[in-house]
Structures are given as structure tokens and as C-alpha cells.
Amino acid sequence: MSVSTFTQLENNIHQLSLREQLRLLEVLVRAIRQHTFVEPDIQEDELDRMAVDPNIQREIRDIEAEFAVTEADGLGTI
């Protein structure tokens, strides 16, 4: 979207009543959620694959090693 198109849209929004602006906001939120929503089962499958991925496991070990010194600071884990 070009800047001029966005500016025109923004100006048009300001001409709407508060009720119309809220309705537009609801429509936008619904559209964004539908566009970005990921099925929970798909997320779980991705997490399961990551858990057994040797590259991910190696990265986790590297991170744990990097922060191992902080574990001796006497602070408990949450």
C-alpha cells in the first residue's frame, strides 16, 4: 500500500463515527486473527519435531552451558 493510499484511508477513518470506527476495528482484528491463527495441534506437532531435532538439542545444550555460571549464583529457579 502506498503512503498516499494509507493517508487517504487514515483520513477516511477519521471521518467515521466512533461506532463505525469500533466496527472497523473489530473487522480488522477478526481478519488479522484469521490470517495469523495456527491450529493448536499444528503447534504441538512443531514442538514435538523440535524436541527431537538434533540441531535444536545442540543449541539448547550450548545455551545451558553458556548460562551454567549463573546457576551457581545462589538464586533459586522459578
Side-chain angles (χ1 to χ4, degrees), residues 29-69:
V29 168
R30 190 176 313 113
I32 291 169
R33 284 187 177 150
Q34 288 174 349
H35 181 71
T36 60
F37 180 73
V38 177
E39 293 290 330
D41 292 340
I42 293 172
Q43 290 176 340
E44 290 295 324
D45 290 344
E46 290 175 9
L47 289 174
D48 290 341
R49 282 193 301 276
M50 288 176 65
V52 297
D53 184 320
N55 292 325
I56 298 292
Q57 292 175 355
R58 183 174 38 259
E59 185 68 27
I60 291 171
R61 282 192 303 275
D62 291 346
I63 292 169
E64 288 174 343
E66 183 176 345
F67 288 94
V69 175

Side-chain angles (χ1 to χ4, degrees), residues 9 13 16 19-29:
L9 181 58
I13 290 171
L16 296 173
R19 184 181 189 123
E20 291 169 324
Q21 288 178 7
L22 289 171
R23 184 166 179 246
L24 176 61
L25 182 59
E26 290 171 356
V27 168
L28 289 171
V29 168

